[in-house]
């Protein structure tokens, strides 16, 4: 009887683990959902990885697409629903440090469009200006219907930034030819 209970317990444990593995992925201690819902569509996890600065893990990022791809140019140029999920993993991250990092990323990504995008970059940074704590989750979701980036913090909409050109520059921070982190880019592409 004990053996039967032990086998049943083991089978149930394995079954639960398999279900959990199908719905979530663990990256550097952060549980990343394999799917998120946005605009009545299910976006699938394309890839995920951690971002480190000076040997300190600062956040775990995931890329969600309606059509999975390993082609960064295709993703940047795609006018379809997509999202980036960023979970803060260090108490050393502040809104000031995050917005400075975004500035550097936009400078690399936007190229000659930087000055044209500057007012919207400043608007975007205001949505990141609240105090940031460890385990805060940001979702930067693109809506092709009105061509806006919707900025969510802990599932609360902070605001929207208009423009497909802005979307391309934002996703280019991590996926362009000059990404902020080449290893993270590969992880987001699932390479």
């Amino acid at each position: 009887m004990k053996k039967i209970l032990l086998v049943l317990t083991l089978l149930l444990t394995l079954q639960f683990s398999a279900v959990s593995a199908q719905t979530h992925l663990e990256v550097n201690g952060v549980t990343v959902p394999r799917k998120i819902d946005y605009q009545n569509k299910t976006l699938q996890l394309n890839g995920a990885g951690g971002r480190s600065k000076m040997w300190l893990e600062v956040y775990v990022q995931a890329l969600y697409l309606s059509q999975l791809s390993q082609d960064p140019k295709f993703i940047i140029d795609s006018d379809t629903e997509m999202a980036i999920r960023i979970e803060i993993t260090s108490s050393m991250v502040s809104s000031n440090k995050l917005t400075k990092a975004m500035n550097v990323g936009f400078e690399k990504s936007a190229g000659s469009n930087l000055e044209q995008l500057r007012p919207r970059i400043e608007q975007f940074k205001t949505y990141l200006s609240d105090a940031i704590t460890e385990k805060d989750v940001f979702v930067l979701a693109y809506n092709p219907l009105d061509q806006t980036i919707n900025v969510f913090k802990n599932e609360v909409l902070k605001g929207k930034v208009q423009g497909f050109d802005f979307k391309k520059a934002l996703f280019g921070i991590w996926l362009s030819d000059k990404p902020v982190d080449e290893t993270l880019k590969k992880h987001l592409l699932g390479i």
Side-chain angles (χ1 to χ4, degrees):
M1 183 68 156
K2 285 183 181 179
K3 286 184 181 180
I4 292 173
L5 286 175
L6 182 62
V7 169
L8 283 174
T9 303
L10 181 61
L11 287 174
L12 287 172
T13 302
L14 288 174
Q15 188 175 17
F16 178 74
S17 295
V19 169
S20 179
Q22 292 171 0
T23 60
H24 294 87
L25 173 72
E26 185 151 325
V27 178
N28 299 343
V30 172
T31 302
V32 177
R34 289 195 182 267
K35 296 178 180 181
I36 60 172
D37 292 322
Y38 177 66
Q39 296 296 343
N40 298 320
K41 295 203 176 184
T42 300
L43 302 179
Q44 297 179 50
L45 178 65
N46 196 73
R51 172 92 164 104
S52 300
K53 293 282 283 184
M54 295 194 275
W55 306 284
L56 179 66
E57 195 72 37
V58 290
Y59 60 78
V60 168
Q61 182 172 341
L63 173 64
Y64 295 88
L65 303 174
S66 54
Q67 179 182 345
L68 299 181
S69 176
Q70 291 185 328
D71 181 349
K73 183 162 177 30
F74 172 80
I75 296 167
I76 291 170
D77 292 339
S78 178
D79 193 17
T80 59
E81 292 85 357
M82 61 182 66
I84 288 175
R85 181 183 186 275
I86 299 172
E87 184 165 335
I88 306 300
T89 57
S90 170
S91 59
M92 300 298 288
V93 177
S94 66
S95 61
N96 188 38
K97 288 178 183 176
L98 185 61
T99 56
K100 280 183 181 179
M102 289 289 181
N103 271 339
V104 171
F106 276 115
E107 287 170 11
K108 289 181 168 190
S109 174
S112 61
N113 290 344
L114 184 62
E115 289 312 309
Q116 179 182 344
L117 293 172
R118 179 117 13 235
R120 288 178 281 163
I121 292 170
E122 294 305 315
Q123 176 189 3
F124 173 73
K125 288 174 10 186
T126 65
Y127 304 143
L128 307 175
S129 64
D130 293 346
I132 294 175
T133 60
E134 195 172 334
K135 299 201 183 295
D136 277 346
V137 175
F138 292 90
V139 175
L140 313 173
Y142 176 67
N143 181 355
L145 298 176
D146 61 1
Q147 294 192 323
T148 58
I149 290 289
N150 295 261
V151 180
F152 297 89
K153 180 181 179 187
N154 300 325
E155 299 183 12
V156 174
L157 180 64
K158 302 301 282 182
K160 298 180 178 189
V161 182
Q162 192 71 39
F164 183 60
D165 56 343
F166 181 82
K167 175 263 179 189
K168 290 171 66 170
L170 178 66
F171 279 76
I173 290 172
W174 300 280
L175 299 173
S176 69
D177 292 337
K178 299 178 199 170
V180 292
D181 185 318
E182 191 67 46
T183 302
L184 178 58
K185 175 181 175 177
K186 289 178 182 174
H187 288 301
L188 294 176
L189 294 173
I191 299 175

